[in-house]
Amino acid sequence: MTQAGHLQIEGVARRFRQVSVLDGITLAVARGEFVSLLGPSGCGKTTLLRILAGLLAPDSGSVRLGGRDLGALPPHRRNVGVVFQSYALFPHLTVAGNIAFGLRARRQTRAQIDSRVAEMLAMVQLGPLADRPVAQLSGGQQQRVAIARALAVSPDLVLLDEPLSALDRKLRETMQVELRTLLRRLGMTAIFVTHDQEEALALSDRVAVMHAGRIAQLGTPQAVYDRPATPFVLDFVGQATVLCGRIAAAAGGTVRVDTAYGPVHAPAALPQGEAVLVAVRPERITLGAPAGAEWTGVTLPLATRTYLGSRCLLHGAVAATERATVELPAAAAGDAAPGSTVALSWRVADTLLYPAPPA
Amino acid sequence: MTGRLARLIAGAALVCSLVYLLAPLLVIVLVSLSPSPVFELPHDALSAVWYRRLGTLEGLGASVVLSFEVAAAATVASLLLGTLAAIAVVRGRFAGRQAAATFLVSPLMLPGLVIGIATLQFFRSLGLSAAVPSLLLAHVVVVLPFVVRTLVAGLARFDFALVDAARTLGLSYPLAVVQVMVPVLAPSFVTGALFGFLASLDNYPVSIFLTDVYHRTLPIQLLQYLGESPDPTVAALSTLIIALTVVVLIVGDRVAGLNRMAGVA
Amino acid sequence: MRRPGLVWLVLPALFYGALLFALPLALLLIGSARGPQGWTLAAYSRFFAGSYAWGVVARTLRLAALTTLLSLALGYPAGFALARLRGRLQSLAVAALLLPLSLSVIVKAFGWTVLLRRDGVVNLGLQAAGLTGAPVRLLFTETGLLIGIVNIFLPFMMLPIYASVRQIDRLLPEAAATLGGGPLHCFLRVVLPLTLPGVGAGCTLVFSLAIAAYVIPTLLMGDAYQTLPTTIATAFLYLQDPQRGAVAGTVLLALSLLVVGMSAHFAARGAA
């Protein structure tokens, strides 16, 4: 990336009581881009968010937003909107009072505030509830107030801390679409913290998968899903078949890996003899032997078969350190039954290869 | 069948309890409005004569003033000490903060008379015999548990993300505390202060050892009247105390809600 | 972010409590066991010599136990019914409970002295109902005392029970019913165990308040009825015998610490 991003995070690090929580995060986000910080709890994503909001100071590193160095700026001078996980709506104020809060803090005139609040209420479709105390709202409505409140001040950046995690599944999906449409329409630059990989993939322009205080992989949702950079990303984002093996032969940019279930070919350049993990996404796998040189596969015994309506999941009986998951259209699952041995195949190009983690 | 009978019994117990609980209050109000000087009930005429005679109760005005002064001062001091302590107990991360909270609330669970005599002996050994400073110092011990208890409960419920939210919306930290934390915690402050104030105002087991002939708090003065010659003037005074309690409860209900005041919700 | 530095904020209150609450209590304890020749339990042997003091302690405990039992018998069903009320009616009932709770004990005690007179409302009611021909003596009897003292402490029993019933999921008894339990079975196996913490809290509160009651026994029974609190007050206010008062105070303090401690112990075991 040659041009500096709208948001430029450089080598941000933070420790708590000798424990490194953020370990040199560097990330550039373009204006209008929606970037997710995806990771399990404790990966540092919320810490990074709090540093961006100015609620926490980094030990080292810098944050620039729209050319300004945010370094020593306190949260109230940053013009960064935050949607909190608990929503953090002010219980002593009404819906309108919550949305107006940031505008009042900026000492706008009464008329300016009223028109902006009306605009935001219309935007999140809460007009009729303007004078309700927030405690009387449903979860989804509270969520919208929180978003409207953060956006009312026209922030340069909006930070969303697991904003949908408190909603039930159905409502969450509706809100995902609503949120994405809204932010795109406003051209808002957004950082979205979540531990829900589906949510991250569905919403983001780019996903930063975080692990142990670092960004394990940064890329488009498709890149992160199709070409996970590390076994952690592979594991955390989506399902996978993962088998242990050793490189038996290497030639011309492809290698042959011997596994307990037959040789597997993969596009890679790794030295012979090295212990590796072979992985492939479940929906890339078909039943049957490899159909040509571009294909590779294994043969293994089937343990369970789960019917999911449109799709069917097969699980192979493999070693405890391995997993064999196949996802097929229900019609393509044939009569493969638990107990029988099946041949599985996929394109060589879809094979993922990682050095085996030290045992 | 059994269920319905049980509900019937429980309902009857509730009605009986409430009637029973309110009976002494009701009878005082009625007696105070009676024209008869001998607590005659029922009576058929209403009279304000005993209220007009309140002024004849010796020492009443001084005791009311003293009680309110002591209660107000003790409440202010307790709010100061209690707020700091509650913040430390809820937000701090030091060993023994639970023990500290228990210690600060413990005067509520111990016999008031024992605290009273202990305080009396302590003050005597220090050579402190003046009633007013003794009362002030001792009543903070009476009020502080109420303040600490409600504030710890309120702070424990308080979502500190609210302060963060206010800061990201454009308020400096001190302003965020003033505009968000103070109004949201106001109910806890008010309930703690009101109940603490009432507890000080009504306190006799500590005050009884610290008052002297010239400085009697209202409860001690009231006990004195009852010991001497109770007449309906005392009922009129008691009715005013009931009215004050009702006002305090109404204020508390407006600010915090009855259930929270009862420590239930 | 929790910070260890916050410990400073609790220190003023702790210091105040230590100086004006813990230290005086400690001095009281020490004073009760100090004679002219140093440490001695002479004051205790003097206090407990003969049957008088034992009678006082027994009377105090008996009064507190009876108060707790009666409060529980009335307060349990009443607290239950209160929790099952809805909306405005419940608010009104809670208000009717909070008013006497917040009101000066002296005022309520005064009310009972009027109610329990020979020509008082209670006697008029008893006669009107035909339960008695002649006025019954209630004031300065244990019956009258119990009527008055239970009245003072009943709210402290009802509130914790009310709170514990409120927390029971209304569906739980229904779930128990679908599992084949009758109402009695359901009550004994589901509802009662879930309300036990409230009962425990209420009993502890009422018992520890009742052993320390002073105004009610004084006003409704007079000086002849001596409990630990009246003994303490008499020793200090009339006999000018602080050591006797300190001994009685220590005994009372020990009793209430015992009650609170036992209750905390059982509550912790129940929670574990």
Side-chain angles (χ1 to χ4, degrees), chain B residues 195 245-254 258 261, chain C residues 95 98-99 102:
Chain B
F195 275 102
T245 312
V246 170
V247 169
V248 165
L249 285 182
I250 290 173
V251 171
D253 179 39
R254 282 290 151 82
L258 284 174
M261 267 198 300
Chain C
L98 278 180
L99 175 58
S102 321

Side-chain angles (χ1 to χ4, degrees), chain A residues 50 76 86 88-89 92 106, chain B residues 159 162 164 167 169-171:
Chain A
R50 291 179 67 82
H76 61 282
S86 65
L89 297 182
H92 60 301
R106 282 165 176 69
Chain B
D159 179 5
L162 291 178
D164 290 345
R167 294 175 71 196
L169 287 168
L171 292 185

Side-chain angles (χ1 to χ4, degrees), chain C residues 28-74:
Chain C
L28 181 78
L29 232 66
I30 293 170
S32 72
R34 289 288 287 192
Q37 272 86 46
W39 296 102
T40 168
L41 290 176
Y44 286 87
S45 4
R46 216 165 39 243
F47 182 74
F48 281 110
S51 58
Y52 180 77
W54 291 107
V56 167
V57 173
R59 195 175 297 129
T60 309
L61 290 176
R62 182 184 136 86
L63 179 63
L66 280 173
T67 307
T68 309
L69 278 178
L70 290 170
S71 302
L72 182 61
L74 187 55

Side-chain angles (χ1 to χ4, degrees), chain A residues 17 50 55 75-76 80 82 84 86 88-90 92 101-102 105-106 149, chain B residues 93 159 161-162 164-173 179-180 183-184:
Chain A
R17 292 166 207 284
R50 291 179 67 82
L55 296 168
H76 61 282
V80 168
V82 184
F84 290 83
S86 65
L89 297 182
F90 304 121
H92 60 301
F101 196 93
R106 282 165 176 69
R149 185 179 69 177
Chain B
R93 199 179 195 177
D159 179 5
L162 291 178
D164 290 345
R167 294 175 71 196
T168 63
L169 287 168
L171 292 185
S172 62
Y173 190 79
Q179 287 198 19
V180 173
V184 173

